Amino acid sequence: KAGVTQTPRYLIKTRGQQVTLSCSPISGHRSVSWYQQTPGQGLQFLFEYFSETQRNKGNFPGRFSGRQFSNSRSEMNVSTLELGDSALYLCASSRGLGDQPQHFGDGTRLSIL
Amino acid sequence: GEDVEQSLFLSVREGDSSVINCTYTDSSSTYLYWYKQEPGAGLQLLTYIFSNMDMKQDQRLTVLLNKKDKHLSLRIADTQTGDSAIYFCAESWGQLTFGSGTQLTVLP
C-alpha cells in the first residue's frame, strides 16, 4: 500500500514568488493535514482538510492557503514568499476527520533565496 | 496554550535500553504519539497510546503513560545504531502538537 506522497521533494524559490506543493494521501484516507517544520519553531500545524473543506487552521498568515480535491489529494500554496518560509513542509493523512493516527509523507524542502 | 516538552539529546550504547521522556499539558488529549525522523526524511509513526491506557508494548518499544503527572515515555530495548534519529512525542486533540524532539545517538 503506497504511503503519503509529496511532490516535489525540493524547491528553490526567490522572495516574492509563490509556490504550490502537492500531497497524495494513503488510499482510502480522506483527511489531509499540513505542517511546517523549521529549526527555530519546530513542527507547527498549518491546516487540515476533509471532504474538500478546511476544517481547522493553525496560526499562520493568509499567505498560506490550501485546498483539497474530490479524490482527497491536497495542495498548499504560499504567496509572496519570505525568507522565513524556508522550511520542510510535511503532509499527513488519516482515515477521517479527527480520526487518528496520522501518517506522514517525506515532505517538500522549500528554500527561499 | 498546549505545550509538549522533551529533553533535546540522549546518548546510549548499542545493546542498552533507551528511555525518551515527554511531558504534556493538555489533559483532554485523546491519543499520544511517538514519531521517528531520520535525516532527510519525514515522520515515521512508531507507536501511539490511547489516553485511558497506562502502557503499550510493541516489540522493542514500550510506551508508559502517567496521566496524573502528564508524563509519557518511550523505551527502546536493545537499542541499535539504526535507532539513531530524532524522536518526537505529540499530543492530539484533532491536530497534533509536537515536542521539540529528542536526538538519540547510539554509540557502538
Side-chain angles (χ1 to χ4, degrees):
Chain A
K1 191 175 184 180
V4 178
T5 304
Q6 292 188 247
T7 57
R9 287 297 311 279
Y10 303 94
L11 265 178
I12 299 175
K13 293 285 187 179
T14 57
R15 281 180 298 174
Q17 288 187 309
Q18 73 165 13
V19 68
T20 299
L21 313 181
S22 179
C23 172
S24 293
I26 291 171
S27 178
H29 285 196
R30 298 173 60 198
S31 175
V32 173
S33 297
W34 289 88
Y35 293 82
Q36 181 197 63
Q37 185 178 27
T38 60
Q41 299 297 316
L43 282 152
Q44 296 186 89
F45 171 75
L46 280 157
F47 27 65
E48 178 181 17
Y49 284 87
F50 178 80
S51 290
E52 303 175 61
T53 303
Q54 188 180 93
R55 303 293 179 150
N56 202 358
K57 188 178 188 329
N59 188 25
F60 280 82
R63 301 185 297 108
F64 291 81
S65 62
R67 59 178 175 168
Q68 186 180 34
F69 302 94
S70 58
N71 61 357
S72 296
R73 189 178 72 86
S74 177
E75 290 181 345
M76 68 163 281
N77 184 77
V78 188
S79 62
T80 321
L81 286 165
E82 301 177 359
L83 292 177
D85 297 333
S86 293
L88 179 66
Y89 290 88
L90 292 162
C91 167
S93 74
S94 59
R95 289 194 180 279
L97 186 63
D99 188 21
Q100 308 294 342
Q102 295 186 24
H103 297 267
F104 284 79
D106 282 336
T108 294
R109 172 75 62 185
L110 175 63
S111 299
I112 310 301
L113 304 179
Chain B
E2 298 74 23
D3 199 10
V4 180
E5 295 188 354
Q6 302 178 239
S7 53
L8 292 180
F9 303 100
L10 176 66
S11 292
V12 299
R13 292 283 178 190
E14 190 174 13
D16 289 349
S17 291
S18 308
V19 179
I20 303 172
N21 295 299
C22 170
T23 58
Y24 62 98
T25 57
D26 190 350
S27 59
S28 63
S29 295
T30 307
Y31 290 93
L32 294 143
Y33 295 85
W34 286 102
Y35 284 91
K36 175 184 179 182
Q37 186 175 38
E38 297 182 81
L43 300 177
Q44 175 192 350
L45 177 64
L46 285 178
T47 186
Y48 59 98
I49 188 167
F50 190 56
S51 58
N52 69 353
M53 297 171 64
D54 297 323
M55 186 185 87
K56 180 179 180 180
Q57 187 158 0
D58 185 0
Q59 299 183 326
R60 291 191 298 126
L61 305 178
T62 303
V63 178
L64 294 178
L65 176 60
N66 181 329
K67 290 181 286 294
K68 174 177 171 292
D69 295 335
K70 296 191 177 67
H71 183 264
L72 182 72
S73 68
L74 174 68
R75 178 177 179 270
I76 306 173
D78 187 25
T79 312
Q80 302 298 307
T81 55
D83 295 324
S84 292
I86 301 176
Y87 290 80
F88 292 92
C89 67
E91 61 179 345
S92 166
W93 38 282
Q95 67 196 56
L96 294 173
T97 301
F98 289 90
S100 54
T102 298
Q103 172 77 60
L104 173 64
T105 302
V106 182
L107 306 171

